[in-house]
Amino acid sequence: MSIANPQGKNMYTLLETINYVISQVGASPVTDVNDTLPDVASSKLRIGEAMVNTLKRGWWFNTDYNQEIETDANDKIPLGADVIKVIRATPYFLTVRGGFAYDPYNQTDTFPDISSVCVDVVRMLDYENLPPVVQEVVRFAAAREHVMIELEDDKKVMLIDQLHRDAFVEMTKDDLQIKQRNMAYAPKFLRTRSGVRPYRMGRGVNPYRPGG
């Protein structure tokens, strides 16, 4: 059963999306996401692939900003298994390796000289936690690949691909709109509104120190 959200759209369950994907090749719906039918297993693979391909870019709904993470007992920085990539990090440039932060400049994943880092990260989410428009992007992408593999029906692939393109455009519009509306809460804009000038001719200015 789909779940209604405040915007009037429906949130798809994983089971509904599996049934949508397998229906594109004429398979009957199932009642359990763990059904052992080959079509179900294949559809789950396609959904997983579509989620990675969609979410890895980083959108308004799966990017965490200014997250402070402390080092553990082994001087490592545990980012979590759901982190796809690090967009920004302070005080080091960091990437992700095995769920931990890695410093490619110094070739190390241990940081004995600091107690924490501040990072912006992109995360993988469960399907049912995705916004409705993103669920549509994923389900259409998964269905397109499933049809391409199982039926090799180019005409049907093209029809589903157009649905995917339309949903992707809507998702991109949502991303831009939401980020623009929230831009006023970014640190540099808050500093500007408080009268702190980030740049001044003839003298270097530290934007993090008002007046200095």
Side-chain angles (χ1 to χ4, degrees):
M1 180 178 180
S2 57
I3 305 170
N5 75 4
Q7 296 177 335
K9 297 181 180 180
N10 286 327
M11 299 282 286
Y12 300 105
T13 65
L14 178 59
L15 179 61
E16 286 176 320
T17 294
I18 289 172
N19 282 329
Y20 171 77
V21 172
I22 65 177
S23 73
Q24 302 307 306
V25 297
S28 299
V30 297
T31 58
D32 187 347
V33 296
N34 295 314
D35 195 297
T36 57
L37 288 174
D39 272 328
V40 174
S42 178
S43 70
K44 288 165 72 174
L45 285 175
R46 302 292 85 80
I47 292 169
E49 292 167 355
M51 286 186 61
V52 171
N53 289 333
T54 303
L55 271 62
K56 67 182 180 182
R57 168 177 166 179
W59 304 84
W60 82 93
F61 60 89
N62 72 324
T63 303
D64 289 344
Y65 298 96
N66 297 321
Q67 182 176 7
E68 184 174 1
I69 303 177
E70 296 182 350
T71 54
D72 63 15
N74 297 314
D75 294 326
K76 292 190 174 186
I77 300 170
L79 297 174
D82 62 339
V83 171
I84 302 173
K85 63 182 176 182
V86 177
I87 301 176
R88 181 194 63 84
T90 303
Y92 291 100
F93 169 66
L94 301 175
T95 60
V96 185
R97 285 199 182 179
F100 291 90
Y102 179 79
D103 176 1
Y105 282 130
N106 298 302
Q107 296 85 50
T108 183
D109 62 356
T110 58
F111 305 87
D113 56 330
I114 60 172
S115 60
S116 66
V117 294
C118 184
V119 294
D120 297 346
V121 296
V122 174
R123 295 186 181 278
M124 178 60 65
L125 303 177
D126 291 335
Y127 179 79
E128 294 181 2
N129 288 331
L130 301 178
V133 66
V134 184
Q135 288 186 331
E136 289 185 340
V137 170
V138 170
R139 75 201 297 257
F140 291 140
R144 179 190 60 201
E145 298 304 309
H146 191 63
V147 170
M148 188 182 301
I149 293 171
E150 300 297 331
L151 292 184
E152 298 182 359
D153 185 334
D154 292 341
K155 185 175 180 179
K156 190 163 191 176
V157 167
M158 290 178 63
L159 291 173
I160 300 175
D161 184 61
Q162 186 58 55
L163 294 174
H164 174 261
R165 289 173 181 269
D166 292 343
F168 192 90
V169 168
E170 184 178 353
M171 179 177 67
T172 302
K173 288 180 179 178
D174 283 356
D175 185 67
L176 180 61
Q177 180 186 57
I178 292 170
K179 286 180 177 177
Q180 284 181 334
R181 289 184 176 181
N182 287 279
M183 194 177 294
Y185 296 95
K188 66 178 181 180
F189 285 95
L190 292 175
R191 292 194 297 272
T192 300
R193 290 169 62 185
S194 65
V196 179
R197 290 177 292 179
Y199 178 79
R200 184 165 62 213
M201 289 295 292
R203 178 171 174 261
V205 176
N206 185 345
Y208 296 95
R209 296 181 60 189

